[in-house]
Amino acid sequence: VRAHALVGLRKLVLARDANTLDKFDRVLELFSGQMASNDSYLYLGAIQGLAALGDVAAGRTIPILVKDYHNPKLPLETRLKVGE
């Protein structure tokens, strides 16, 4: 159910839904929070959602992802998923 919700949220981002983009920080937090999941459906959905945010709002998304990628406090597996 959560993976399907991530797909739906990604579709809203790609459609540039105004309500979704108004809550950019929360949407980014939701996708980022699923990156640590061991369930491949969840973390792949999160990766695709972050990629969609990068397409729609690159100026806001990419610097945050780069910061997370270089954050040594995050587990290596999570940093690799961010790089993906």
Side-chain angles (χ1 to χ4, degrees):
V1 173
R2 286 188 297 163
H4 186 68
L6 291 175
V7 170
L9 188 56
R10 179 181 60 85
K11 287 179 181 179
L12 288 170
V13 169
L14 290 174
R16 299 178 190 271
D17 178 69
N19 290 329
T20 304
L21 295 179
D22 285 344
K23 296 174 179 73
F24 174 86
D25 293 329
R26 181 65 182 133
V27 172
L28 181 68
E29 181 183 323
L30 286 169
F31 286 135
S32 295
Q34 298 305 310
M35 295 293 285
S37 176
N38 290 329
D39 184 342
S40 62
Y41 289 109
L42 288 175
Y43 78 75
L44 289 174
I47 289 169
Q48 292 172 347
L50 290 170
L53 282 176
D55 287 345
V56 172
R60 293 178 70 185
T61 307
I62 302 300
I64 294 168
L65 294 177
V66 169
K67 184 176 134 186
D68 286 348
Y69 184 75
H70 291 293
N71 183 354
K73 294 179 183 177
L74 287 176
L76 179 60
E77 185 175 329
T78 301
R79 291 171 51 201
L80 290 172
K81 289 175 185 176
V82 169
E84 193 174 328

